[in-house]
Amino acid sequence: MKNTIIMKMDAENIDDSSIEKCAEILRMGGIVAFPTETVYGLGADALNPEAIKKIFAAKGRPPDNPLIIHISETKDILPLVKEIPDKAYGVMEKFWPGPLTIIFRKSNIVPHETSGGLSTIAIRMPDHPIAIKLIEKSGIPIAAPSANISGRPSPTKAEHVMEDLMGRVDAVIVGGDCNIGVESTVLDITGEVPVILRPGVISREMLEKVLGKVFVNSSAGKFNKTEEKFGCINTKYVHYSPDAKMIVVQGGLDNIVAEINELRRKYEEKGKKVGIICTDETGNRYKKSAGETTIKSLGSRKHPQTIAADLFKTLREFDKIDVEIILCESVDDMEIGQVIMDRLRKASGGHIIKV
Ligand code: TXA
Ligand code: MG
């Protein structure tokens, strides 16, 4: 057990000595959790294999699942990559700092521990003052996966990080909630056509405006053998799973509500503790009191970004009250709705009922 330092920070007025202390821990090969605009990350010196091993141990992460390196200035990528493909410049210029991770061929200084044994490396520049200051002060590239125990929902609040990692990491920076709430888009530009390996709020449409044709994960394998290999990485592990069994119901809104009410009745009859994830538009269509069922709304369908921001938090809340079955409404598979559906698909292990 480590003695985890809790470091409170105000993103608007960052205390120099606190950030310096965390930067020093990173330089010495320790591991520090910090906020980004997407989710909290668990950082370590990307070029120090011993430090990287600590991340995998703390999270219980399979060693072949590669990490994202976080930088604070575009020029920081130069020592980390073998080459910068022409098409990278436009997207770096437009979307960095921000929730876009780009995959490059890696240089020899990046240890294989960081890249999970791959010849490529994922890099992003976060859009969060605490993250940027921490990277700057430490003076090193910071590898950071999401700061959760492997397989659990990503942390969007410092409390989530502490729930999972107290005693397992050297420090946790408590720096407010992450406003996006879902992880960055992962874009592979090493092949002929760019491929989205993980959808995020930087959408295919936004990327195509800069890059021309962009493929999405599922179609990647058809075009390029290498991409097929990468494409697997994202689907290989259990992701974002709550402890409860989760069922997503997809279809017209009236049918969704009817099906969830019916499933709820069946599970309540079996004495199961049920959780319903709904939206502001449908909240009053589920009966409140009976049984042990808890109903939580993710927000309004008119503002899908609020739904994305609350998703992982809500899954964790249901775990806390030991819900056994989560029944969840789907959202329209458009723009940020695609990101929400991607995470719901993973959280439910693909358990989607179409009505
Ligand atoms: O928003 C985010 O990206 C957050 C914050 C902390 O930056 N980080 C994050 O990291 O979500 P992680 O490790 O939970 O997810 C990284 C994803 C994994 O699915 C991993 O397989 C993929 O990126 N990845 C990393 N390097 C890769 C590579 N060289 N090729 C293909 N996929 C890669
Ligand atoms: Mg993760």
Side-chain angles (χ1 to χ4, degrees):
M1 278 286 273
K2 286 174 187 284
N3 177 18
T4 303
I5 299 168
I6 302 296
M7 201 66 97
K8 284 219 171 76
M9 273 185 214
D10 175 2
E12 250 101 77
N13 184 14
I14 302 170
D15 175 53
D16 267 341
S17 69
S18 307
I19 207 94
E20 181 49 44
K21 181 148 195 207
C22 293
E24 175 67 10
I25 295 173
L26 290 170
R27 280 193 299 269
M28 299 297 289
I31 53 179
V32 177
F34 61 94
T36 81
E37 79 280 30
T38 56
V39 300
Y40 271 77
L42 176 59
D45 179 351
L47 306 182
N48 176 346
E50 292 316 310
I52 294 301
K53 283 184 198 154
K54 292 182 193 167
I55 289 184
F56 284 92
K59 281 181 59 93
R61 181 176 173 109
D64 60 346
N65 192 1
L67 307 180
I68 297 172
I69 299 186
H70 295 64
I71 56 170
S72 61
E73 280 184 86
T74 306
K75 70 171 172 44
D76 296 346
I77 68 172
L78 294 173
L80 306 173
V81 304
K82 195 165 253 169
E83 72 216 353
I84 304 178
D86 285 341
K87 45 182 178 297
Y89 292 100
V91 277
M92 292 191 297
E93 167 91 358
K94 177 121 181 87
F95 300 111
W96 280 3
L100 176 70
T101 294
I102 306 175
I103 302 202
F104 298 88
R105 292 188 199 288
K106 80 172 191 69
S107 73
N108 292 334
I109 70 162
V110 179
H112 62 86
E113 282 82 359
T114 306
S115 68
L118 293 175
S119 58
T120 54
I121 191 69
I123 304 181
R124 94 173 185 97
M125 189 193 296
D127 186 15
H128 193 291
I130 294 177
I132 290 292
K133 196 110 188 226
L134 181 67
I135 301 163
E136 262 170 25
K137 280 266 176 197
S138 64
I140 44 180
I142 302 296
S146 49
N148 51 282
I149 293 282
S150 202
R152 295 213 66 208
S154 293
T156 57
K157 291 170 165 289
E159 291 109 272
H160 299 161
V161 179
M162 292 190 263
E163 259 164 42
D164 282 15
L165 298 177
M166 274 309 277
R168 305 173 75 94
V169 302
D170 296 298
V172 174
I173 298 180
V174 176
D177 298 352
C178 304
N179 57 15
I180 293 180
V182 286
E183 309 86 341
S184 61
T185 305
V186 177
L187 178 73
D188 184 356
I189 50 155
T190 60
E192 188 95 337
V193 180
V195 187
I196 293 174
L197 299 183
R198 178 175 71 184
V201 296
I202 308 288
S203 66
R204 177 189 199 161
E205 292 71 25
M206 289 157 82
L207 290 167
E208 285 192 331
K209 281 199 185 124
V210 183
L211 289 168
K213 190 78 199 143
V214 172
F215 292 131
V216 182
N217 198 334
S218 57
S219 55
K222 295 191 194 120
F223 304 97
N224 180 321
K225 271 267 172 273
T226 340
E227 284 154 4
E228 188 171 37
K229 187 177 136 228
F230 295 156
C232 298
I233 292 166
N234 271 287
T235 48
K236 197 163 134 190
Y237 307 103
V238 186
H239 273 287
Y240 321 111
S241 312
D243 297 335
K245 169 177 162 178
M246 181 164 165
I247 301 172
V248 179
V249 182
Q250 193 173 32
L253 207 48
D254 290 339
N255 292 343
I256 292 178
V257 172
E259 178 70 15
I260 290 183
N261 273 319
E262 180 57 18
L263 287 168
R264 167 194 183 162
R265 195 185 54 75
K266 280 192 194 149
Y267 283 113
E268 279 179 352
E269 256 172 36
K270 289 189 202 156
K272 298 280 184 202
K273 192 165 180 183
V274 179
I276 294 177
I277 298 184
C278 64
T279 47
D280 292 354
E281 285 76 7
T282 53
N284 60 7
R285 297 173 69 182
Y286 302 100
K287 181 161 68 16
K288 288 281 166 313
S289 59
E292 274 209 273
T293 297
T294 307
I295 301 162
K296 287 180 191 282
S297 171
L298 291 179
S300 168
R301 288 174 177 270
K302 292 193 200 96
H303 305 290
Q305 66 279 13
T306 62
I307 296 185
D310 273 9
L311 178 61
F312 290 141
K313 179 188 89 173
T314 304
L315 294 179
R316 280 177 180 263
E317 285 169 0
F318 277 129
D319 277 350
K320 273 223 164 117
I321 55 171
D322 296 320
V323 159
E324 295 165 274
I325 309 281
I326 298 174
L327 305 172
C328 180
E329 294 180 1
S330 65
V331 296
D332 289 342
D333 216 341
M334 279 167 57
E335 294 172 4
I336 192 165
Q338 287 178 2
V339 185
I340 298 165
M341 286 308 293
D342 172 76
R343 305 310 194 262
L344 290 179
R345 206 168 290 125
K346 289 171 178 161
S348 65
H351 200 156
I352 299 184
I353 298 180
K354 298 209 163 109
V355 289

